[in-house]
Amino acid sequence: MDTTEFRTAAKAAIDEIADYHDKVSSRRVVSDVQPGYLRPLLPPSAPLDPEPFEAIRADIQDKIMPGITHWSSPGFMAFFPASSSYPAAIAEMYSNAFSGAHFNWICSPAVTELETIVLDWLAQALGLPECFTSAGSTRGGGVLHGSASEAILTVMVAARDKYIAARTAHLGDGEEREEETWRLRSKLVAVGSAGAHSSTKKAAQVLGVRFATVPIREEDGLAMTGDALARTLDELAARGLEPFYLTTTMGTTDVCAVDDFPGIADVLGARAAAGSAELFVHVDAAYAGSALLLPENQHMAAAWSRFHSFNFNPHKWMLTTFDCSATFVRSRADLVAALSINPPYLRNQFSDSALVTDYRDWQIPLGRRFRSLKLWFVLRSYGIRGLQAHIRNGVAMGEKLEGRLASRKDLFVLFTRARFGLLSLRVAGRDEDEVNARTETVYEAVNAAGKFYLTSTVVGGKFAIRVCLGVPSVREEHVQGVFEALVTQAERVCGHLPN
């Protein structure tokens, strides 16, 4: 494909993409193809000779589109959104044009410097403590990863090395220190609540350390409390184990619960004052972190000045096309100490002088994408006020659905009220078994119809339907539509309507 052919093909693709977004609400949300559908539609091997681009474009519509689940549809109310926008899409085009691995400052100075600047903008817009900015008092800053799971693994590596270094600092460099290091490694425990995302457990599995869960209760809003954490830490210490890392959560995956950050900070502060080893505390706000753009939510971040890292995904609720996951640390030295390797082929006069940031030392892989470009485009194209309006729409839609469900108490029980545009519900019944069975039946029926896509959860043995209304195109008519779909199916299973 030469430049002329590229211009023609790219313009046609942009038109098709724009048409797709304009008409996505008319499509079935979830693909209804069967596993293995695609292989019979494609040749058994790659072509030996070039094919015309028109044939490739046609296959997008005929072969790929039937197997796409439409995350940008207003009927997509599952999981959390993976929101996009035209400014982010355009930025991705530029990023692809400037293709490179961008691991050192010298690889493309603008890539590194824009990331530092934009993440400082973002920290300010979210109301984060100053320790998470590049010029903050603790020499912290932000970095863009691919996902919140990647961020958790990265900071857990830093937490492990920081903890072991502190616990062996009194020993000299020799066999005694090495033996104590390996003894400690066998006792390390990463901690998260029962509501924390599974990525914490997976990171512990990858690192070969233990994982312990802090219990949560409905009466606490399914949030982790300081008291529950203290009990768990005491139990682990009594077993001779070494808790070194903790994931706290703003907006749990199941129900968008918010952990008791001040209580957790107080408990850990008191334990440190009594001589306990310091825990590295991470805040996982993958979805709900975008809600910090609203001033009324920024009080939640006050306690984080006593924590070590924070992460959220602009690619979920902030109109920044996947993937873009913002991670902030109070001390960049924690990451660099654990992740920096400096072979001769990576050295250069700028890195060796410590005048620049090399983000390769803030992540597990070496290469990295120009993700900050799309974040920059989004922040400039919408402005903070435009992004706030988008977040407030999701919040308002959640509250509207909550109000509608509350009007049918004969059919529904709110499991958790709307928070950050997400709520969970159950279908009324005589006992827990009937409630679970009815709720699951309604859930499966609504999804089978194809107009809406919801996901479910099970908390404490209770099956609940999650509805997340953060997709940018969701409006009141879609809220009414999913409410009517839920009512229709609930009336059937509750015996109000014939099957």
Side-chain angles (χ1 to χ4, degrees), residues 144 271 288 303 363 488 493:
L144 292 174
R271 294 174 73 88
Q363 61 180 34
T488 297
V493 301

Side-chain angles (χ1 to χ4, degrees), residues 41-353:
L41 302 180
L42 297 180
S45 60
L48 294 176
D49 298 311
E51 294 184 358
F53 196 75
E54 286 303 311
I56 300 172
R57 279 183 56 210
D59 281 350
I60 289 288
Q61 299 301 323
D62 297 341
K63 298 179 174 61
I64 301 302
M65 194 65 77
I68 295 294
T69 291
H70 303 288
W71 288 61
S72 58
S73 168
F76 186 95
M77 300 175 182
F79 306 114
F80 292 121
S83 62
S84 184
S85 65
Y86 290 132
I90 294 169
E92 284 279 29
M93 294 170 64
Y94 280 109
S95 179
N96 290 336
F98 306 145
S99 180
H102 308 309
F103 42 81
N104 281 348
W105 179 88
I106 194 62
C107 289
S108 279
V111 176
T112 292
E113 295 193 14
L114 185 65
E115 186 158 336
T116 302
I117 293 166
V118 168
L119 284 167
D120 280 348
W121 282 8
L122 195 54
Q124 181 182 32
L126 297 173
L128 298 184
E130 58 83 29
C131 61
F132 293 119
T133 63
S134 65
S137 57
T138 57
R139 191 73 174 137
V143 59
L144 292 174
H145 292 146
S147 69
S149 298
E150 181 184 336
I152 286 174
L153 177 59
T154 302
V155 298
M156 193 182 290
V157 170
R160 178 196 63 191
D161 286 14
K162 180 181 176 74
Y163 185 87
I164 289 176
R167 295 279 277 108
T168 59
H170 64 289
L171 302 174
D173 291 331
E175 185 176 344
E176 184 181 6
R177 185 170 190 170
E178 183 177 357
E179 288 300 315
E180 178 62 7
T181 293
W182 287 105
R183 187 195 71 80
L184 286 171
R185 279 179 174 253
S186 71
K187 300 291 185 179
L188 293 179
V189 185
V191 180
S193 82
H197 190 270
S198 59
S199 52
T200 296
K201 184 176 183 179
K202 185 171 183 177
Q205 181 176 319
V206 170
L207 293 184
V209 300
R210 306 181 200 215
F211 173 73
T213 300
V214 179
I216 55 176
R217 306 182 306 167
E218 281 191 54
E219 49 264 50
D220 297 320
L222 299 175
M224 178 167 56
T225 66
D227 289 343
L229 173 63
R231 287 191 294 272
T232 299
L233 295 178
D234 287 342
E235 291 166 3
L236 294 172
R239 294 167 55 193
L241 299 177
E242 303 269 352
F244 74 102
Y245 168 93
L246 171 68
T247 290
T248 62
T249 310
M250 174 188 170
T252 59
T253 301
D254 288 321
V255 296
C256 252
V258 175
D259 288 342
D260 174 20
F261 300 121
I264 290 167
D266 289 345
V267 162
L268 294 179
R271 294 174 73 88
S276 295
E278 181 184 38
L279 262 72
F280 188 110
V281 183
H282 176 69
V283 180
D284 175 15
Y287 166 67
S290 295
L292 293 173
L293 289 170
L294 306 184
E296 57 266 33
N297 293 328
Q298 292 181 356
H299 67 277
M300 296 182 194
W304 301 348
S305 62
R306 295 187 276 173
F307 296 164
H308 298 80
S309 58
F310 163 80
N311 169 267
F312 88 109
N313 293 343
H315 66 235
K316 279 191 167 70
W317 202 13
M318 215 185 88
L319 304 176
T320 308
T321 308
F322 190 90
D323 58 1
C324 184
S325 185
T327 304
F328 298 86
V329 292
R330 66 175 291 114
S331 172
R332 65 184 62 191
D334 293 341
L335 293 178
V336 174
L339 299 168
S340 179
I341 291 181
N342 200 25
Y345 56 81
L346 293 179
R347 293 174 186 162
N348 61 80
Q349 59 178 321
F350 301 103
S351 297
D352 290 346
S353 69

Side-chain angles (χ1 to χ4, degrees), residues 308-473:
H308 298 80
S309 58
F310 163 80
N311 169 267
F312 88 109
N313 293 343
H315 66 235
K316 279 191 167 70
W317 202 13
M318 215 185 88
L319 304 176
T320 308
T321 308
F322 190 90
D323 58 1
C324 184
S325 185
T327 304
F328 298 86
V329 292
R330 66 175 291 114
S331 172
R332 65 184 62 191
D334 293 341
L335 293 178
V336 174
L339 299 168
S340 179
I341 291 181
N342 200 25
Y345 56 81
L346 293 179
R347 293 174 186 162
N348 61 80
Q349 59 178 321
F350 301 103
S351 297
D352 290 346
S353 69
L355 294 174
V356 300
T357 297
D358 280 345
Y359 279 119
R360 66 183 175 86
D361 295 332
W362 296 44
Q363 61 180 34
I364 291 171
L366 175 63
R368 56 202 329 275
R369 301 178 63 237
F370 195 179
R371 295 186 180 99
S372 62
L373 195 65
K374 57 188 171 185
L375 196 52
W376 190 47
F377 273 41
V378 167
L379 287 167
R380 295 180 66 190
S381 297
Y382 289 92
I384 300 302
R385 289 193 179 95
L387 293 171
Q388 288 172 337
H390 160 63
I391 298 298
R392 285 200 167 98
N393 178 70
V395 172
M397 293 304 103
E399 291 171 351
K400 288 181 183 297
L401 180 57
E402 178 183 320
R404 285 169 168 78
L405 292 168
S407 72
R408 292 300 307 267
K409 293 181 179 179
D410 58 319
L411 294 177
F412 303 112
V413 177
L414 279 170
F415 186 54
T416 54
R417 298 186 61 183
R419 189 166 203 177
F420 308 129
L422 181 143
L423 57 79
S424 60
L425 63 120
R426 308 178 77 205
V427 177
R430 290 167 294 188
D431 54 38
E432 282 298 320
D433 288 341
E434 185 173 71
V435 169
N436 279 346
R438 286 180 170 184
T439 305
E440 188 167 3
T441 299
V442 168
Y443 162 72
E444 291 175 349
V446 171
N447 279 346
K451 189 173 181 179
F452 299 98
Y453 181 31
L454 312 176
T455 44
S456 63
T457 189
V458 179
V459 179
K462 296 181 178 181
F463 187 99
I465 300 171
R466 298 170 69 261
V467 187
C468 185
L469 296 154
V471 170
S473 56

